[in-house]
């Protein structure tokens, strides 16, 4: 399988293409006094109405970070953040609805993923495409799958080569069945490697690994912004999306690739892993 942290963006500097490989900090279960303290600070900041605090608090409930795991409260705060168009919160809420045993609701999951896709959250189009592609979600619609996967391909999402390989293994990928995806593939063809796998062309891409701040550093940066109460629920960074804000780091779901891999690994049908 393609590494979830592989090639997450392309920046052009003169004739050189640099593809930064960013290792995002992941939130995991934690019950230390430090984690409990961060949880309490975020709980207070969320109460004061900070959208990003709500989004992170929702993740803390989901990952049992500084508190017990509680998907109900995770959804509560992620959905609150979603109302202010926090794309990462929308994506995570959609993911929980699609995968939770207790709160599974495919329609709600698709609704939140569509909101995340509209707000250009990385990975949202890919997961939507897979949900509509795979029969096991009960919403198979090849036309919709084609639409979302074409958008994901156009954005050169990391896992698209594996999705293409899955489609070619289990059905026909041509202009008649997947017209939009097929058209994008003609514009930017994938390359076939010696081992038979297909991948994005590397060309003159230089891979640079960039270490992200520690989880604690990220929390401290965010909490500085949350010190003062605000009058209404919403972001204090009007006109800027999450990627553009230094203090807006969606820990645990900063990269939709991790969740896209979850769906790719559980496709019904042929296994396309290499």
């Amino acid at each position: 399988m393609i590494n979830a942290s592989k090639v997450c963006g392309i920046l052009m500097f003169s004739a050189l293409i640099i593809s930064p490989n960013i290792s995002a900090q992941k939130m995991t279960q934690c019950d230390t006094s430090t984690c409990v303290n961060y949880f309490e600070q975020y709980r207070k900041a969320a109460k004061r109405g900070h959208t990003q605090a709500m989004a992170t608090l929702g993740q803390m409930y989901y990952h049992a970070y500084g508190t017990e795991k509680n998907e109900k409260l995770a959804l509560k705060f992620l959905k609150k953040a979603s109302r202010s168009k926090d794309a990462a919160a929308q994506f995570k809420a959609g993911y929980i609805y699609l995968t939770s045993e207790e709160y599974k609701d495919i329609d709600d999951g698709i609704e939140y993923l569509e909101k995340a896709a509209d707000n250009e959250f990385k990975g949202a189009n890919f997961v939507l495409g897979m949900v509509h592609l795979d029969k096991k979600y009960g919403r198979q619609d090849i036309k919709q799958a084609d639409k979302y996967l074409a958008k994901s391909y156009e954005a050169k999402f990391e896992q698209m080569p594996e999705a293409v390989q899955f489609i070619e293994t289990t059905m026909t990928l041509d202009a008649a069945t997947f017209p939009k995806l097929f058209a994008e593939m003609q514009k930017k063809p994938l390359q076939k490697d010696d081992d038979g796998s297909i991948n994005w062309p590397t060309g003159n891409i230089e891979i640079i690994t960039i270490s992200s701040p520690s989880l604690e550093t990220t929390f401290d940066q965010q909490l500085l912004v949350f010190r003062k109460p605000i009058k209404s629920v919403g972001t204090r960074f009007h006109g800027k999306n999450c990627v553009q804000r230094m203090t807006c780091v969606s820990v645990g779901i900063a990269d939709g690739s991790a969740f896209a891999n979850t769906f790719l690994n559980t496709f019904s049908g042929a296994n396309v892993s290499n």
Side-chain angles (χ1 to χ4, degrees):
M1 300 292 294
I2 296 177
N3 191 313
S5 63
K6 182 181 179 182
V7 189
C8 66
I10 295 179
L11 302 175
M12 178 70 78
F13 296 99
S14 301
L16 176 65
I17 298 177
I18 301 178
S19 177
N21 185 345
I22 301 177
S23 177
Q25 296 295 328
K26 302 297 182 182
M27 189 183 295
T28 58
Q29 181 176 355
C30 178
D31 59 2
T32 67
S33 59
T34 298
C35 295
V36 171
N37 181 52
Y38 276 124
F39 170 79
E40 288 299 327
Q41 291 187 72
Y42 270 91
R43 187 179 62 79
K44 293 175 182 178
K47 189 175 182 179
R48 291 197 296 269
H50 293 278
T51 298
Q52 185 61 31
M54 295 176 192
T56 303
L57 184 64
Q59 295 177 68
M60 288 177 165
Y61 276 118
Y62 182 77
H63 294 288
Y65 186 96
T67 186
E68 293 184 357
K69 184 179 179 70
N70 190 318
E71 288 187 342
K72 182 178 181 179
L73 287 176
L75 281 169
K76 173 184 175 180
F77 285 101
L78 289 169
K79 288 165 70 174
K80 279 188 174 183
S82 295
R83 296 188 196 115
S84 296
K85 297 185 178 182
D86 186 302
Q90 292 166 341
F91 184 88
K92 185 59 174 283
Y95 172 79
I96 294 175
Y97 275 127
L98 289 178
T99 60
S100 171
E101 293 184 6
E102 186 175 0
Y103 297 101
K104 180 172 289 186
D105 188 314
I106 302 300
D107 290 332
D108 281 350
I110 290 174
E111 179 183 347
Y112 277 95
L113 286 171
E114 287 176 341
K115 291 177 180 179
D118 288 342
N119 287 309
E120 300 182 349
F121 185 80
K122 180 182 179 183
N125 281 316
F126 184 75
V127 175
L128 280 166
M130 289 191 287
V131 169
H132 287 296
L133 182 67
D134 201 355
K135 292 180 180 179
K136 75 176 184 178
Y137 295 105
R139 301 294 185 278
Q140 188 180 48
D141 184 329
I142 300 302
K143 185 177 180 179
Q144 286 290 89
D146 179 43
K147 179 182 76 172
Y148 289 117
L149 291 175
K151 290 180 179 180
S152 185
Y153 192 98
E154 183 181 14
K156 295 191 71 174
F157 189 67
E158 295 93 317
Q159 279 73 37
M160 273 307 303
E162 294 175 88
V164 167
Q165 193 169 353
F166 169 79
I167 296 171
E168 291 179 339
T169 302
T170 58
M171 58 189 79
T172 302
L173 202 172
D174 57 19
T177 311
F178 291 89
K180 293 181 179 180
L181 175 57
F182 187 80
E184 289 298 330
M185 291 177 64
Q186 301 312 299
K187 297 177 186 176
K188 297 179 286 186
L190 296 168
Q191 70 177 23
K192 190 169 185 177
D193 295 337
D194 294 338
D195 61 0
S197 64
I198 55 176
N199 296 289
W200 291 112
T202 54
N204 295 320
I205 294 178
E206 179 182 352
I207 305 297
I208 298 178
T209 300
I210 303 173
S211 298
S212 61
S214 68
L215 207 57
E216 291 76 15
T217 298
T218 298
F219 287 157
D220 290 339
Q221 289 176 339
Q222 290 183 343
L223 288 168
L224 284 174
V225 180
F226 303 150
R227 283 182 174 178
K228 295 183 179 180
I230 54 180
K231 294 182 179 180
S232 61
V233 176
T235 176
R236 295 181 61 180
F237 299 85
H238 298 292
K240 295 185 178 181
N241 61 32
C242 192
V243 175
Q244 295 171 315
R245 294 179 245 146
M246 183 179 71
T247 55
C248 177
V249 181
S250 294
V251 289
I253 56 174
D255 184 2
S257 303
F259 294 101
N261 267 334
T262 298
F263 283 84
L264 194 60
N265 286 334
T266 57
F267 260 134
S268 61
N271 185 348
V272 298
S273 301
N274 294 307

